[in-house]
Amino acid sequence: MEISYKQILSKISTFIFDVDGVLTNGMLTIMPDGELVRHMNVKDGYAMKLALNKGFRVCIISGGTNQAVKSRLAALGIKDIYLGAHDKIKQYNEIVSNYNLNDDEVLYVGDDIPDIPVMQKVGLPCCPNDAVPEVQSVSKYISNIKGGEGCVRDVIEQVLKVNGKWNNYFDAEA
């Protein structure tokens, strides 16, 4: 019998997120100069900053290369930001090695096929509710929230609540 994702939450020490379709809704606005503009949810930003403040690791592995995305995430305090990652398992293995992690300590949120190899390794593979069916089939938890609309906050909040680290006051600008 497979255990519930809720039984895994207390083991999580590290969050890894994809960007497009997870931290954003996957839509791009193409500006006249060719710049690609994405929208991120402030509540996701607050939750990531809170997780960092509470001693969790937050990492990003994305195939995208937008420097504005990197700047936004770095401003939240995220240090492990891998952009242009087309073989995400390579960056995942680097994170695990750098922090001497076990796979069961890691929660990964992805939404599309390039995320599947990492999702098959981590302790808690998750996705937004608008992820592609192939990703949903390998997820132990499917958020009831869409990508870019707070699904990152959803998973972080659950982990922090289980660990008694959510309801404490935290002053952060997201």
Side-chain angles (χ1 to χ4, degrees):
M1 185 169 129
E2 189 163 324
I3 63 172
S4 164
Y5 82 92
K6 291 186 177 195
Q7 295 171 286
I8 302 169
L9 294 174
S10 64
K11 297 178 185 178
I12 300 302
S13 69
T14 303
F15 298 97
I16 303 176
F17 302 108
D18 178 31
V19 174
D20 292 320
V22 173
L23 285 166
T24 75
N25 65 2
M27 302 294 289
L28 296 173
T29 300
I30 304 170
M31 304 303 288
D33 65 358
E35 179 185 5
L36 302 177
V37 178
R38 293 158 172 88
H39 299 270
M40 292 184 169
N41 190 297
V42 171
K43 291 175 185 160
D44 287 342
Y46 175 83
M48 289 187 290
K49 192 166 181 87
L50 177 60
L52 288 165
N53 181 264
K54 298 296 182 178
F56 292 84
R57 276 176 288 283
V58 176
C59 309
I60 304 297
I61 303 176
S62 175
T65 58
N66 186 289
Q67 289 305 304
V69 169
K70 185 174 187 173
S71 296
R72 162 69 177 150
L73 296 169
L76 293 172
I78 300 170
K79 295 182 181 4
D80 297 293
I81 303 170
Y82 297 88
L83 300 182
H86 300 291
D87 179 12
K88 294 183 179 193
I89 203 75
K90 178 181 175 188
Q91 285 77 20
Y92 172 74
N93 288 333
E94 186 175 320
I95 292 166
V96 168
S97 176
N98 288 348
Y99 295 107
N100 196 29
L101 299 171
N102 294 317
D103 292 334
D104 62 355
E105 296 177 69
V106 181
L107 179 154
Y108 183 92
V109 182
D111 72 304
D112 209 344
I113 291 170
D115 299 306
I116 292 173
V118 175
M119 295 178 78
Q120 291 174 325
K121 289 196 70 156
V122 301
L124 187 51
C126 304
C127 68
N129 74 0
D130 58 344
V132 300
E134 296 88 344
V135 167
Q136 289 188 18
S137 72
V138 298
S139 294
K140 289 184 182 174
Y141 174 68
I142 300 171
S143 175
N144 62 345
I145 302 170
K146 292 180 180 179
E149 295 183 8
C151 70
V152 167
R153 164 108 177 216
D154 174 35
V155 296
I156 291 174
E157 185 173 335
Q158 289 188 59
V159 170
L160 269 59
K161 282 181 175 178
V162 163
N163 288 286
K165 296 183 177 186
W166 179 254
N167 287 328
N168 302 339
Y169 176 77
F170 175 64
D171 186 16
E173 290 185 25

